[in-house]
């Protein structure tokens, strides 16, 4: 068995450290070692996108990374999306207003992917939103509410900038 | 009715959402437990094999492993699950002497973490004697087919031949007879959250507590308890606060509740098992694949006289409750939306070397309407009539409700012609036909499809006993099964705030929001002043064997219970207030959250009354029970046991769906482009339109997945071909289509608020409407869709073979 | 679905990496972006004695133009390529191809070297380097060699990379003047590996097709360069008739197999359809560019 290694990274603004076997998946470390269970596991092979986080600001699958690879990185999970005072992020607010979630299981991954999408393309067309969100699977909503929400959030974020 | 409907009917934002949006949802995998250990399951790589021996000694020696469970333990410590058929199928929670499908559990390792548990799996040696396998349900009935269950003697789990009316005479009189063979595929809704079970056994009380993302029906609680040799009141089943989707699929978790429960009892530690995606695709649950033969008798004027149908439902390696529901769940609506009176049905439920099946959104109705609606289109083609006109000529008419179908269904309300015409109008059906003419003139493949469905909700538990011969059900001493109920409690806290308690197990349907809307109207208060608790716990909630969140139940039965409980509480509040006001109850009116004296303007608010009742019990009138709470159990009066002619009202409310779809097919690649999709629903009174539309969008995409993308495919040897999301293709936002939705409202006379269920919605119509649209587009080639999913490769082959014949 | 145990190494240089690889004698695997290998580990379809993580090796991440080629360090992220102004100006076809590689969140980590070394028969980058006559630079303790696509892709998930050797750079010629291009793929869902994909680059000078590049993938174990198709175009030009003939020839040249998603016959047919579409689009573009 490989020696446990130290890992330390910034997550949602706070530095967290731990010791882990090298094979431990980043998503397991985030959920089990750090207790941040908002990031979900849906397939463990990079297709469903439920585990999507922002890794150094960019959306990535946390089931396809080892925890040790996050050493020194900056990570944002769904728990870090709202403002410190609890004000929802425009995407969260728009998801709420547009009935963009039902069971809520894919929602964290969907939000993180949408964050990245709007960062690289602040005014996406509906087609671009659908293409961008095809990175995350949802089985409840038929995606319509999600697409509407991302569009609304994009409008709001642009007008507030 | 509530005095005023201020909140019911509004698209309120959901109270469930903020928690879920910030990552504070509590799903089964998120819950913490003391002394927690983790299970991994060794699964059969063979479709069919005898287990000669299992050597787990090396695995047991691996540091961190605390115990291993094999089929020998299951044989010793558990019993086979009760099955809904007479065939003596021995279905244990894991393979005992044989494996009968790829993915069947063979051993369970319990270790200090999941990584180690999986390492240990690699060290278990199983000696298999491979046997030949069969996956085709017709082939499985051949005399020389491999036999799965020696004690059953054949692969037929259940056979029923049922006749309503006089189909032979109708066929003899028919001017037109059509016959067709259909193949409906095996697919499942693959919720993004997989199964999860946490079990712990308390040796001092002998109580096994199981936490599982199980959503009912709770008849599976006693079935699980008996399999574990536990009295029902020693099995505590707790559902986590959040479930990440189910769509019927999580009904199939109960064998794992038993398996993980067994592991906890054997090892003495708390055992957690979270199914991974590979396990889910190989061995959780899916819809039933079916081969069906259907005949239709009609007159040249388009009047349908009768149908005959024979099907082979493939339930996989073992028939698992609630199968053979796929054969019988829609028995009351076997006639669809049409008035014909004669039907012959020959149901064959077959076991093959595939994974096990069960409810999947639209349970059995996707199959039913794919067949019926294809047949109606075939009739239209044969007699040269517009398919819309054929449907018009056969609809049950608005004046006929409540309408009793020949198979015993009691359609509560509806206006099928109105909903259908609304769909045609919204889609501009005439315009689509004109576009089609133009497209065809240009050599393009443009098609328009129609489909309608009677959408059943709230299963009557009695339907499943149709699997038994009436001769058995007629014997003295036979205990009939029937019913559909749900309970709710509404209580007032000492300061006048309201708590509603439900026994449901939602997976995203927004029960808390909807019930708060209902109670708010009944009590004249705001939804924000109401807290709803919907965490199911069999030790603390009021429940029955039909309880659970499945078969689109909540919209009618759950809401009825909640409204009734609120009304009961309101009545008590009025009586209490009238006593305090020293006037007769008739002179007190409840509104705006308080009791108002009809004449003198005196008001006692909810807070006033709560204060008196809680802090001054002496103020409660003689004869009135103390405590400000009311529980209602709502049970449908028409949910009766099947009669000896196999007639049963299999569901309790029946909505209606009418759809129009236009497609264009790329003649080169056979890719299907959906140009227009209109769906009109009649679900009675709508409580929250946003939630209703969400259900329709989601249901439609499940139908689209099954019709175009998703298939749990197997090769001839029973190897599963779709073991990952690389091969099992779930539609993404990119594949989802725009939908035009409209509603017609025919309130149900049988529910408290007039609402019907609609959770399964268009999942049951999209396969039909799409198949009809594609067939219509390919009319110039003469291609007929008989089999799903319509993959580009399959469709291209159909088109090529049609082209080569021309 | 948790990875089996392995030793983990995070070297900082290529030399260090090669030294570790040498120690394990073929029992170690290089971990690039992890978008395929991590999934294989989670499925326990791979169980190497050691993982050698290339992510901490900065010298493997770059995009530069040199000798008429774009040169990509093996660890250059697909996302970097997608948003690279240099690639956008010198090889826009690659941007088109990159947008079809998985999804944005997988391109964040996914690398060009990882995709090429994994050699999925339907992946985009192997098809691209095959069509455009790129080069793979392999290094081992004994030196460096440059391998052409036809020699590099050996079949399903198999390449010419020898034990102890690693892919360090991928080279693709920049777009010649007077060129048009297209990347046509047919997949069942967005972001999936293609059932069939066709990559083409046409150079047309004074009305003559001076250089045609066409490759197909998804039609066998490895992407195939369709040289006889290119010859038709170089001989007969890029008019409708030549494109028709070239497309028919493309379908004859491929040797696809059947799987869950498509039959061999359908793949062969798609080869013809997509070749025609790709060539037509590229020809249209080159006319616009000229």
């Amino acid at each position: 068995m490989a020696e446990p290694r130290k890992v330390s990274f910034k997550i949602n603004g706070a530095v967290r450290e731990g010791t882990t076997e090298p094979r431990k998946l980043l998503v397991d470390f985030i959920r089990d070692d750090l207790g941040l269970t908002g990031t979900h596991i849906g397939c463990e092979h990079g297709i469903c996108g439920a585990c999507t986080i922002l890794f150094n600001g960019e959306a990535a699958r946390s089931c396809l990374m080892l925890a040790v690879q996050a050493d020194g990185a900056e990570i944002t999970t769904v728990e870090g999306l709202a403002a410190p005072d609890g004000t929802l992020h425009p995407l969260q607010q728009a998801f709420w207003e547009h009935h963009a979630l039902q069971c809520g299981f894919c929602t964290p991954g969907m939000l993180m992917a949408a964050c990245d999408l709007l960062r690289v393309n602040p005014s996406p067309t509906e087609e671009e939103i659908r293409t961008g969100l095809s990175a995350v699977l949802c089985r409840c909503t038929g995606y319509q509410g999600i697409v509407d929400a991302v569009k609304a959030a994009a409008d709001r974020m642009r007008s507030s900038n | 009715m509530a005095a005023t409907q201020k909140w019911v009917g509004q698209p309120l934002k959901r109270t469930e959402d903020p928690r879920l949006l910030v990552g504070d949802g509590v799903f089964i995998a998120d819950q913490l437990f003391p002394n927690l250990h983790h299970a991994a399951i060794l699964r059969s790589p063979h479709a069919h094999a005898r287990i000669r021996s299992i050597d787990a000694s090396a695995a047991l020696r691996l540091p961190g492993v605390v115990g291993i469970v094999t089929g020998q333990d299951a044989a010793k410590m558990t019993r086979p699950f009760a099955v809904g058929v007479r065939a003596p199928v021995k279905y244990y929670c894991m393979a005992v002497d044989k494996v009968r499908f790829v993915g069947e559990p063979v051993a369970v390792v319990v270790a200090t973490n999941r990584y180690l548990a999986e390492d240990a799996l690699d060290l278990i040696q199983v000696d298999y004697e491979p046997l030949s396998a069969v996956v085709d349900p017709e082939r499985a009935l051949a005399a020389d087919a491999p036999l799965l269950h020696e004690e059953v003697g054949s692969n037929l789990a259940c056979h029923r031949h049922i006749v309503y009316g006089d189909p032979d005479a109708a066929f003899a009189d028919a001017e037109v007879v059509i016959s067709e063979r259909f193949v409906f595929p095996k697919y499942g809704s693959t919720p993004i959250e997989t199964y999860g079970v946490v079990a712990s056994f308390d040796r001092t009380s002998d109580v096994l507590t199981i936490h599982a993302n199980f959503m009912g029906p709770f008849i599976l609680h006693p079935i699980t308890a008996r399999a574990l040799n536990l009295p029902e009141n020693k099995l505590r089943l707790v559902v986590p606060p959040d479930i990440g989707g189910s769509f019927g699929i999580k009904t199939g978790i109960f064998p794992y509740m038993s398996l993980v429960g067994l592991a906890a009892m054997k090892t003495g530690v708390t055992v957690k098992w979270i199914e991974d995606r590979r396990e889910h695709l190989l061995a959780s649950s899916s819809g039933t694949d079916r081969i069906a033969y259907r005949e239709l008798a009609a007159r040249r004027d388009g009047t349908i006289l009768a149908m005959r149908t024979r099907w082979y439902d493939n339930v996989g390696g073992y028939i698992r409750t609630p199968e053979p529901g796929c054969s019988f769940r829609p028995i009351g609506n076997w006639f669809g939306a049409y008035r014909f009176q004669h039907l012959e049905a020959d149901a064959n439920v077959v076991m093959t070397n595939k994974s096990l099946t069960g409810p999947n959104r639209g349970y059995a109705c996707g199959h039913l309407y794919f067949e019926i609606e294809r047949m109606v289109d075939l009739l239209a083609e044969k007699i040269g009539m517009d398919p819309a006109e054929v449907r018009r000529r056969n609809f049950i008419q608005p004046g006929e409700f409540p309408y009793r179908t020949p198979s015993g269904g009691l359609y509560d309300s509806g206006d099928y012609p109105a909903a259908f015409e609304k769909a045609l109008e919204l889609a501009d059906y005439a315009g689509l036909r004109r576009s089609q003419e133009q497209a065809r003139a240009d050599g393009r493949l443009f098609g328009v499809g129609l489909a309608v469905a009677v959408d059943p909700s709230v299963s009557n538990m009695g339907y499943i006993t149709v699997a038994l011969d009436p001769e058995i059900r007629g014997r003295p001493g036979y205990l009939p099964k029937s019913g559909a109920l749900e309970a709710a409690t509404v209580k007032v806290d000492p300061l006048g705030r309201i708590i509603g308690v439900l026994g449901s197990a939602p997976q995203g349907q927004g029960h808390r929001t909807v019930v708060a809307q209902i109670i708010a109207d009944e009590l004249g208060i705001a939804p924000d002043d109401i807290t709803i608790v919907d965490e199911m716990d069999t030790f603390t909630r009021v429940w029955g064997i039909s309880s659970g969140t499945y078969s689109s139940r909540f919209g009618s039965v759950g809401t009825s219970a909640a409204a009734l409980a609120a009304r009961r509480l309101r009545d008590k509040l009025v009586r209490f207030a009238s006593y305090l006001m020293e006037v007769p109850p008739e002179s007190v009116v409840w509104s705006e959250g308080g009791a108002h004296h009809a004449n003198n303007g005196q008001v006692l608010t909810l807070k006033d009354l709560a204060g008196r009742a809680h802090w001054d019990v002496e103020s409660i009138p003689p004869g009135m029970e103390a405590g400000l709470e009311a529980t209602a159990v709502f049970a449908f009066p028409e949910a009766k046991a099947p009669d000896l002619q196999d007639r049963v009202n299999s569901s309790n409310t029946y909505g209606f769906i009418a759809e129009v779809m236009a497609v264009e097919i790329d003649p080169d690649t056979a890719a299907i482009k959906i140009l227009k999709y209109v769906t009109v629903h009649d679900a009675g009174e709508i409580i929250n339109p946003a939630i209703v539309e969400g259900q329709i969008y989601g249901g439609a995409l499940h139908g689209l997945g099954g019709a175009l993308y998703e298939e749990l495919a197997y090769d001839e040897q029973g190897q599963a071909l779709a073991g990952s999301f690389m091969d099992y293709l779930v539609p993404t936002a990119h594949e989802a289509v725009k939908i035009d939705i409209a509603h017609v409202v025919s309130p149900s006379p049988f529910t408290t608020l007039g609402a019907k269920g609609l959770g399964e919605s268009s999942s049951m119509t999209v396969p039909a409407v799409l198949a009809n649209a594609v067939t219509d587009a390919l009319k110039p080639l003469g291609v007929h869709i008989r089999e799903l999913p319509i993959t580009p490769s399959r469709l291209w082959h159909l088109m090529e073979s049609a082209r080569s014949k021309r | 679905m948790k990875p089996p145990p392995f030793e983990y190494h995070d070297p900082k240089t290529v030399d260090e990496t090669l030294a570790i690889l040498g120690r394990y004698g073929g029992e170690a695997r290089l971990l690039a972006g992890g978008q395929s290998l991590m999934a294989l580990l989670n499925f326990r379809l791979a169980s190497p004695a050691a993982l050698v993580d290339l992510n901490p090796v900065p010298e493997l991440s770059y995009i530069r133009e040199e000798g008429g080629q774009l040169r990509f360090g093996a660890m250059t992220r697909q996302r970097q390529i997608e948003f690279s102004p240099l690639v956008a100006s010198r090889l826009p076809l690659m941007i088109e191809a990159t947008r079809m590689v998985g999804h944005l969140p997988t391109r964040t980590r996914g690398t060009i070297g990882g995709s090429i070394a994994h050699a999925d028969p339907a992946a985009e980058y192997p098809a691209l380097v095959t069509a455009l006559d790129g080069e793979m630079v392999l290094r081992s303790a004994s030196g460096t060699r440059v391998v052409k696509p036809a020699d590099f892709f050996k079949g399903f998930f198999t390449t010419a990379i020898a034990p102890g050797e690693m892919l360090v750079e991928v080279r693709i010629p920049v777009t010649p003047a007077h060129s048009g291009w297209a990347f046509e793929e047919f997949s069942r869902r967005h972001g999936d590996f293609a059932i069939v994909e066709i990559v083409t680059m046409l150079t047309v000078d004074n009305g003559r097709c001076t250089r045609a590049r066409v490759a197909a993938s998804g039609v066998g174990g490895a992407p195939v360069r369709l040289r006889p198709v290119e010859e038709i175009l170089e001989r007969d030009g890029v008019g409708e008739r030549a494109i028709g003939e070239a497309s028919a020839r493309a379908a004859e040249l491929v040797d696809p197999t059947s799987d869950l998603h498509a039959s061999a016959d359908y793949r062969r047919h798609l080869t013809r359809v997509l070749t025609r579409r790709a060539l037509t689009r590229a020809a249209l573009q080159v006319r616009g560019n000229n």
Side-chain angles (χ1 to χ4, degrees), chain B residues 133-191:
Chain B
V134 62
V135 293
D136 179 291
E138 284 184 295
R139 163 93 190 80
L141 295 183
D144 62 344
L147 181 62
L148 273 73
H149 297 268
E150 285 75 5
E151 59 275 27
V152 177
S154 96
N155 293 323
L156 190 64
C158 168
H159 172 247
R160 286 301 323 279
H161 184 84
I162 301 175
V163 178
Y164 302 109
D166 189 352
D168 287 347
F171 271 86
D173 288 349
E175 295 166 348
V176 186
V177 171
I178 291 167
S179 40
E180 187 58 282
R181 178 182 191 266
F182 298 103
V183 179
F184 200 86
K186 181 180 179 73
Y187 63 93
S189 295
T190 61

Side-chain angles (χ1 to χ4, degrees), chain C residues 161-213:
Chain C
I161 303 174
E165 198 172 37
M166 64 185 284
L167 174 65
V168 292
E169 185 178 271
V170 178
R171 300 171 175 174
I172 309 179
V174 299
T175 313
H178 313 295
S179 295
W181 56 84
F183 197 105
E184 282 286 339
E185 83 170 36
F186 190 87
S187 61
R188 289 183 61 192
R189 292 179 309 176
H190 179 80
D192 284 343
F193 284 120
I195 291 176
V196 172
E197 68 199 1
I198 302 292
V199 194
T200 186
M201 172 90 74
L202 302 175
T203 307
V204 178
D205 209 357
N206 286 324
R208 253 198 82 234
C209 177
T210 54
R211 184 172 169 280
R213 295 286 178 264

Side-chain angles (χ1 to χ4, degrees), chain A residues 56-113:
Chain A
N56 292 329
E58 298 174 342
R61 309 294 205 215
S62 60
C63 74
L64 297 184
M65 289 182 68
L66 302 170
V68 291
Q69 293 183 297
D71 195 47
E74 196 161 330
I75 290 173
T76 308
T77 65
V78 69
E79 288 95 340
L81 213 46
D85 70 353
T87 306
L88 295 181
H89 183 281
L91 272 164
Q92 291 170 316
Q93 184 67 30
F95 268 52
W96 193 15
E97 286 165 8
H98 290 267
H99 191 33
L101 62 154
Q102 289 178 27
C103 80
F105 196 81
C106 76
T107 307
M110 196 66 87
L111 285 167
M112 303 324 280

